[in-house]
Amino acid sequence: MTRYFAGCLLALVGCGDNLTATDRPDAHPVAHPDAAPMVAPATAIPLATPDGSFYTAPLTIGTQTFAVDVDTGSTTTAVAAMACTKCTGITPLYAPTATAMDLHQMAQTGYADGSRWSGEIFSDQMGLEHGTPSVAVAFAGITNQKMFFDPTNAYQGILGLGPPELLETGTTSFLAQLTAAHEPAVLGFELCDTDGTMWVGGVDETKAASPVLYTPMLPIDGNSNPFYAIAVTDMGLGGTSLGFDNATFGSPIVDTGTSLTYLPTAVMTALLAKVNATPNYASVFTQPLSQNGTGCATTVSGVTAAQVDAVLPPMTLTFPSGLDAEFTISAPASQSYVYDGGDGTFCLAIFDDGGSGSLIGDATMRAFISVFDVAQHRMGFAPDVGCATTRRADRTPRRLREHGHPPHRVR
């Protein structure tokens, strides 16, 4: 995982932009040349978000329903339990019923921002409803935590949707159990300004402006790459390459549980230099963008996201599609590398990874329909046309809490 920074992410003015292919990759990854296209629609699960910085789904365990942070960067599911001594204000709390079994084991997880939890492992029936089956999952009932919960009770736990290699000992994967119940191992996401959708078993391509294009997921090989990682062959601004390939990007993780996107120092240095040198930059900003402090820069009075997008160049990312082809996705500045921080500021949505490794978080995913096709070992993107244009209230950077760099767990 990494989770959220509780407060001020992502000024969305409607999701989506352009996506092009240098060689039409209806072509599939080399390892799966005969893979069938996605079937739409799949089972749609509504997502909620208080501020666009993290997204929750309603998860039923036993007879109770919890709002849980959906996280493709971890795999163990955990919810606050009745025995939790540091869960003041968190409700509901998990209370085992006749369907539950106490496995008499403990689990604990720590995240990159210093938050952590520990708890008792139970097995219980778990489901997302909306037509999805209920399955038996071994998860953690949290009994102790540090900085894990949001003080507004926006969620009561976390739904780990990552690879089995990230499971805490004694727990089982909700996604793997769904797959065993004959649900295709495919997850789709539309992360909007005030809400969102997660699809299980496929993706609704009617929400996309063009067909979903796919890039291979990199093989999972234990501790060196246990996440959903992909190759990035180029990144550009305004159609001009920043001059880096995957050797520099280091195979980014794609993580719904992290708000920001993180890139290597060399890429961030080049990105900031190009952005700050943009012609007419001073017509919208009164100071350079930098990673100092909150990463925010004051704007000229009354500047809107549309005006920022009219001046700052769009961001492009290029991925291999297999069969010696590539495709490029593109998004406006305010939906990819900056966001409206309120109080007359725009802030960076991409930060230096500090040497921990690259990560594509909600800051980049929000512009697209994103597909985790675990069954066919590929990641898909398409420009999103389904988000409402209702804009959330501005958030102040003073509330910003970085959840951190890639979701390497504390051991």
Side-chain angles (χ1 to χ4, degrees):
M1 161 171 176
T2 12
R3 290 189 343 257
Y4 64 107
F5 50 67
C8 99
L9 189 68
L10 310 187
L12 293 142
V13 187
C15 298
D17 195 61
N18 301 317
L19 186 152
T20 60
T22 57
D23 182 358
R24 185 73 202 155
D26 296 311
H28 304 298
V30 173
H32 304 278
D34 298 321
M38 300 301 300
V39 175
T43 304
I45 310 299
L47 300 180
T49 177
D51 57 15
S53 64
F54 62 96
Y55 294 82
T56 65
L59 180 70
T60 298
I61 305 177
T63 60
Q64 297 173 279
T65 299
F66 303 87
V68 288
D69 189 358
V70 292
D71 182 25
T72 59
S74 67
T75 311
T76 294
T77 295
V79 296
M82 291 290 292
C84 186
T85 58
K86 295 182 179 179
C87 293
T88 302
I90 304 303
T91 183
L93 298 174
Y94 174 69
T97 61
T99 59
M101 179 182 298
D102 189 340
L103 300 184
H104 300 291
Q105 298 179 66
M106 296 293 292
Q108 63 178 2
T109 289
Y111 303 105
D113 65 345
S115 64
R116 60 187 307 112
W117 55 258
S118 60
E120 183 85 6
I121 300 177
F122 292 87
S123 177
D124 207 343
Q125 291 295 308
M126 185 179 295
L128 292 166
E129 300 184 348
H130 299 278
T132 61
S134 265
V135 292
V137 177
F139 68 100
I142 297 172
T143 55
N144 199 359
Q145 63 90 24
K146 175 185 177 184
M147 302 190 311
F148 179 74
F149 291 110
D150 183 270
T152 66
N153 191 40
Y155 57 87
Q156 298 86 51
I158 182 169
L159 175 61
L161 297 169
E165 287 80 357
L166 292 177
L167 280 169
E168 298 294 354
T169 301
T171 64
T172 56
S173 162
F174 176 70
L175 181 59
Q177 296 298 90
L178 276 184
T179 301
H182 309 294
E183 289 283 338
V186 181
L187 300 169
F189 291 92
E190 177 187 51
L191 306 181
C192 298
D193 194 5
T194 56
D195 55 19
T197 302
M198 175 174 71
W199 291 280
V200 176
V203 64
D204 183 353
E205 290 203 27
T206 67
K207 300 294 187 179
S210 60
V212 178
L213 304 182
Y214 291 92
T215 187
M217 286 184 183
L218 300 178
I220 291 173
D221 52 3
N223 291 331
S224 62
N225 178 31
F227 303 99
Y228 297 138
I230 57 177
V232 174
T233 56
D234 195 13
M235 179 180 182
L237 290 176
T240 302
S241 171
L242 294 180
F244 302 99
D245 58 19
N246 196 56
T248 301
F249 285 106
S251 304
I253 298 160
V254 185
D255 182 13
T256 61
T258 299
S259 301
L260 295 174
T261 288
Y262 290 90
L263 298 175
T265 301
V267 179
M268 279 303 304
T269 300
L271 183 148
L272 284 173
K274 184 168 180 60
V275 169
N276 288 320
T278 300
N280 299 319
Y281 179 91
S283 68
V284 291
F285 287 99
T286 64
Q287 63 190 118
L289 275 167
S290 77
Q291 297 185 95
N292 296 331
T294 60
C296 300
T298 303
T299 61
V300 174
S301 178
V303 165
T304 65
Q307 290 172 308
V308 168
D309 288 339
V311 171
L312 296 188
M315 186 188 76
T316 58
L317 289 169
T318 301
F319 307 97
S321 65
L323 304 179
D324 299 319
E326 294 181 329
F327 69 93
T328 296
I329 60 176
S330 174
S334 70
Q335 294 180 29
S336 56
Y337 62 89
V338 296
Y339 65 91
D340 188 342
D343 291 342
T345 64
F346 273 74
C347 310
L348 285 173
I350 299 179
F351 270 72
D352 192 325
D353 69 9
S356 299
S358 302
L359 184 150
I360 297 174
D362 298 343
T364 299
M365 292 177 66
R366 60 191 162 125
F368 305 99
I369 299 295
S370 302
V371 185
F372 294 75
D373 187 350
V374 180
Q376 298 187 71
H377 312 291
R378 59 184 187 170
M379 184 79 205
F381 298 99
D384 180 17
V385 296
C387 283
T389 56
T390 302
R391 189 169 174 274
R392 60 131 174 96
D394 291 336
R395 270 171 286 288
T396 168
R398 288 189 294 273
R399 293 185 58 209
L400 185 148
R401 281 182 55 204
E402 284 184 33
H403 193 73
H405 300 350
H408 305 307
R409 295 177 296 167
V410 177
R411 292 294 187 182

